[in-house]
Amino acid sequence: DTAVSQTPKYLVTQMGNDKSIKCEQNLGHDTMYWYKQDSKKFLKIMFSYNNKELIINETVPNRFSPKSPDKAHLNLHINSLELGDSAVYFCASSQGGGAGANVLTFGAGSRLTVL
Amino acid sequence: GDSVTQMEGPVTLSEEAFLTINCTYTATGYPSLFWYVQYPGEGLQLLLKATKADDKGSNKGFEATYRKETTSFHLEKGSVQVSDSAVYFCALSRSGTYKYIFGTGTRLKVLA
């Protein structure tokens, strides 16, 4: 029983294409996140949703659009892919987000390679 | 703004050596502090956490103590194993925000 599952695990595509990554959690958490990890392992928050409401939207190009159809799902759509979008994208979830001590549970990551 | 600073890696040790990975933070108020570990090809997973000053988090032989006076949360293990080879991330979160701030990660290599 995977707690946070992402699909696909690997994605190779050409510049200019549009792609989506899906994320689902079965933990009953109310907050979900997208993080981007670059080749140097630096981890940066992109978006966060709490009960389907967008609460964090960091400085991310408009080509990235998250969608949360319900609190168990958070998808990431990327338009007009660029070389610099190549990275590992991690979905995560937590219960209560801002309560400080709540732990993030991460998915296994989706490695995006843009050629 | 809030930030987390970790020692740069990679850290290379022999099996059974003592490990310290330094982490310091800048934050207003009283954040919660975490260590996450990322094994090759996997997502991050919680290693340990501490929620207030002088708390000690521990798990799998790893320990870290929340030191408010030095704003530090250094990770230690008395005897590392090859299986501990991974990237370790220090992180903080503050009550009232949904942001978890991560350090840059420290890669640990343990040689047999």
Side-chain angles (χ1 to χ4, degrees):
Chain A
D1 283 352
T2 304
V4 180
S5 59
Q6 300 178 225
T7 53
K9 189 169 175 64
Y10 299 98
L11 193 50
V12 181
T13 189
Q14 300 287 330
M15 264 198 315
N17 285 350
D18 303 339
K19 290 294 177 186
S20 292
I21 307 171
K22 295 186 176 182
C23 179
E24 176 181 4
Q25 54 95 2
N26 62 7
L27 298 167
H29 288 168
D30 59 6
T31 308
M32 296 185 72
Y33 310 77
W34 278 111
Y35 280 84
K36 178 180 180 181
Q37 186 176 51
D38 64 22
S39 59
K40 295 185 178 178
K41 299 294 186 184
F42 183 66
L43 203 62
K44 184 179 177 185
I45 181 74
M46 299 175 69
F47 302 103
S48 177
Y49 274 75
N50 174 256
N51 284 317
K52 302 195 296 175
E53 181 182 347
L54 181 66
I55 54 171
I56 294 176
N57 185 352
E58 291 295 282
T59 308
V60 176
N62 290 339
R63 300 181 294 102
F64 290 80
S65 52
K67 279 191 172 53
S68 182
D70 56 60
K71 71 175 191 177
H73 295 83
L74 180 60
N75 303 323
L76 182 65
H77 187 76
I78 316 170
N79 289 326
S80 304
L81 280 156
E82 300 178 358
L83 293 177
D85 298 331
S86 295
V88 181
Y89 293 83
F90 285 102
C91 179
S93 71
S94 70
Q95 180 58 34
N102 293 316
V103 172
L104 286 174
T105 302
F106 282 84
S110 297
R111 181 178 294 277
L112 171 65
T113 303
V114 182
L115 303 175
Chain B
D2 297 345
S3 66
V4 173
T5 303
Q6 284 181 241
M7 61 188 289
E8 286 197 27
V11 174
T12 304
L13 296 172
S14 297
E15 210 165 21
E16 298 184 3
F18 184 86
L19 168 71
T20 300
I21 299 178
N22 290 339
C23 171
T24 57
Y25 67 91
T26 302
T28 54
Y30 300 91
S32 293
L33 302 174
F34 307 83
W35 277 101
Y36 284 83
V37 58
Q38 184 179 27
Y39 298 103
E42 298 183 11
L44 282 73
Q45 52 187 277
L46 179 72
L47 182 58
L48 53 85
K49 70 177 184 180
T51 58
K52 61 183 187 297
D54 300 324
D55 266 3
K56 178 186 281 188
S58 62
N59 186 23
K60 300 181 182 178
F62 290 89
E63 292 183 343
T65 301
Y66 189 139
R67 301 280 188 209
K68 185 144 183 74
E69 64 276 13
T70 54
T71 61
S72 64
F73 193 53
H74 304 321
L75 183 68
E76 297 181 336
K77 186 175 185 182
S79 175
V80 293
Q81 305 300 312
V82 172
S83 57
D84 293 327
S85 298
V87 181
Y88 292 81
F89 292 88
C90 186
L92 70 82
S93 70
R94 273 196 296 117
S95 184
T97 76
Y98 285 83
K99 282 194 180 181
Y100 293 77
I101 308 299
F102 285 85
T104 52
T106 302
R107 184 181 299 277
L108 170 65
K109 291 184 185 177
V110 180
L111 306 176

